[in-house]
Amino acid sequence: MNEKILSCKIKNKNIADCSALPIDELLAFIQSLSSKSLETILQELIKKLTNIVNIGLQYLTLDRTTNTLSGGESQRIKMVRHLGNSLEDLLYIFDEPSIGLHPKDLDNISHIIRQIKGKGNTVLIVEHDPDLIKLADHIVDMGPLSGVNGGEIIYEGSFAGLKKSDSKTGNYFSGKRSYNRQPRNRETFITIKNATIFNLKNITVGIPKQNLTVVTGVAGSGKSTLITKVLPAQFPEVNLIDQSAIAGSARANLLTYFSISDTIRRLFAHANNVSDKFFSRNSEGACPNCKGLGIDKIDLAFMEDVEEPCEVCNGSGFDPNVLKYRYKRKNIAEVMRLTVEEAQSFLKNKNL
């Protein structure tokens, strides 16, 4: 930061000093200031900082980069922005706000949602967590199952009525909870040593082998940092399974990810006595217009590109000539559109 800017101070603190303070300490500092000419600015700062403290993020500093925030912290920061919004009669949609949150963090989320609704706004939540579902004045249960077996309204009404409904959701909420009463003995451990990064304060912890271990704690306590950053760094052989996007090319799909696309292509090739390359969107089977992507991108200069289904292959990504080849009366594009359950029946007795 420019040295001239850092030389400007208020009560012996420059802007970098203030940014490095935990938010509760910064709030106390701002509250200690008095200036009639800056009263409006000070009151607005106090209001915003108070909202952040009230949702349990008082330990954050303003110079904390956003990519170091946990999922729970990011969720609450997005929500708290709307607490100072003076607009009314808006529709807010929250898509599974409980993901990755500790029950204590859910209390804070619930408080924010009540405040937003209390301003005269409509709040719509897509959610599974019973603690958030209980907040609702009206519940819509979708089902009965997923995919082609879903898409129906199973129940509408209160939470009490939901527990009595004969649905997957109702049966779960009305059932008794259990826990593991016979945990395995701990014998050997994977030891994480001297973890010191972000919120972690030089900690050492043992993870028992051949056991199921859960690491829990409030948002920002260091759970994800410890397990997804420090553990893989100290033990590179671990298999990390998280919610990040599956890496692959623009033509990648479940078949390629599970390494069964070659088998499908061989089935079509054998049934039609042609090369299996015809049934790959990365090879001879690719649509000549969209190159196997299935979409045409329209460049709108200074605006975002618009994507439309390819008019040659109708979005399949395959050369139309390839689609004349069949296996059990289906072409390769039709097989690609099958659900996993449908494909399991269609490819029965095939070694995939």
Side-chain angles (χ1 to χ4, degrees):
M1 190 174 287
N2 189 293
E3 291 185 7
K4 186 175 180 180
I5 294 175
L6 295 179
S7 66
C8 300
K9 296 187 177 184
I10 300 176
K11 287 191 173 181
N12 296 322
K13 292 186 185 297
N14 58 36
I15 189 168
D17 296 329
C18 290
S19 297
L21 288 175
I23 288 175
D24 53 354
E25 294 182 22
L26 178 60
L27 175 59
F29 176 73
I30 297 296
Q31 288 173 330
S32 71
L33 304 179
S34 60
S35 172
K36 288 188 177 181
S37 61
L38 299 176
E39 185 174 355
T40 301
I41 295 176
L42 291 174
Q43 289 304 314
E44 184 64 21
L45 279 174
I46 290 171
K47 181 180 178 181
K48 290 183 180 296
L49 293 174
T50 299
N51 284 337
I52 298 174
V53 170
N54 288 340
I55 62 168
L57 296 178
Q58 69 282 347
Y59 57 87
L60 293 180
T61 60
L62 295 184
D63 60 0
R64 177 87 171 262
T65 56
T66 54
N67 63 349
T68 66
L69 297 173
S70 71
E73 290 167 338
S74 298
Q75 182 84 272
R76 281 181 282 167
I77 286 174
K78 291 176 184 177
M79 296 175 73
V80 78
R81 288 183 60 189
H82 296 282
L83 291 180
N85 195 332
S86 59
L87 298 177
E88 299 177 0
D89 200 23
L90 297 178
L91 171 60
Y92 288 92
I93 300 175
F94 297 102
D95 187 10
E96 300 191 21
S98 70
I99 288 179
L101 294 185
H102 187 275
K104 175 59 180 174
D105 299 319
L106 282 182
D107 289 342
N108 295 322
I109 293 291
S110 300
H111 179 66
I112 297 172
I113 291 173
R114 288 193 187 98
Q115 284 185 280
I116 292 174
K117 186 187 75 168
K119 291 184 175 183
N121 297 304
T122 300
V123 179
L124 179 61
I125 305 176
V126 179
E127 188 53 79
H128 300 101
D129 189 273
D131 291 328
L132 284 184
I133 294 176
K134 288 176 184 177
L135 297 178
D137 302 299
H138 186 71
I139 297 171
V140 178
D141 187 18
M142 301 286 292
L145 299 174
S146 56
V148 296
N149 297 314
E152 300 177 24
I153 303 296
I154 306 302
Y155 170 80
E156 285 188 78
S158 66
F159 184 79
L162 175 64
K163 293 172 66 176
K164 298 177 183 178
S165 68
D166 187 21
S167 69
K168 293 282 186 181
T169 309
N171 291 335
Y172 176 79
F173 287 153
S174 62
K176 292 183 179 180
R177 303 291 174 263
S178 63
Y179 61 92
N180 185 3
R181 297 176 182 273
Q182 295 180 324
R184 293 183 178 182
N185 294 327
R186 297 172 295 171
E187 297 178 356
T188 56
F189 295 80
I190 299 170
T191 303
I192 305 174
K193 298 180 179 179
N194 306 320
T196 306
I197 180 175
F198 301 146
N199 296 339
L200 301 179
K201 299 177 175 63
N202 193 29
I203 64 173
T204 297
V205 62
I207 308 296
K209 291 184 177 181
Q210 299 179 354
N211 276 242
L212 171 60
T213 299
V214 174
V215 178
T216 187
V218 297
S221 58
K223 306 182 300 297
S224 295
T225 301
L226 178 68
I227 301 303
T228 67
K229 293 187 182 298
V230 179
L231 178 57
Q234 295 188 7
F235 297 90
E237 68 274 16
V238 303
N239 295 310
L240 177 61
I241 302 174
D242 58 17
Q243 294 180 351
S244 59
I246 295 174
S249 70
R251 301 175 188 84
N253 51 48
L254 288 183
L255 287 179
T256 56
Y257 184 74
F258 288 120
S259 301
I260 58 178
S261 56
D262 289 344
T263 304
I264 302 296
R265 288 197 290 269
R266 284 196 295 268
L267 289 176
F268 272 90
H270 179 75
N272 294 278
N273 196 29
V274 295
S275 170
D276 59 359
K277 294 180 180 179
F278 282 135
F279 308 102
S280 171
R281 293 185 296 187
N282 293 313
S283 187
E284 295 177 19
C287 170
N289 181 59
C290 67
K291 311 303 180 186
L293 293 176
I295 57 172
D296 284 326
K297 287 189 177 182
I298 304 173
D299 185 357
L300 297 180
F302 298 106
M303 299 175 64
E304 291 186 6
D305 293 345
V306 174
E307 295 183 352
E308 295 285 347
C310 174
E311 58 184 20
V312 174
C313 66
N314 293 319
S316 73
F318 289 98
D319 186 323
N321 293 321
V322 171
L323 301 184
K324 67 183 181 182
Y325 297 113
R326 305 260 169 176
Y327 175 75
K328 289 187 177 181
R329 300 182 181 180
K330 291 186 183 294
N331 61 41
I332 185 68
E334 291 170 332
V335 171
M336 296 282 283
R337 288 194 292 267
L338 294 175
T339 65
V340 173
E341 187 176 28
E342 291 168 340
Q344 185 180 35
S345 175
F346 180 76
L347 300 168
K348 191 175 181 180
N349 300 324
K350 297 298 178 184
N351 184 17
L352 299 180

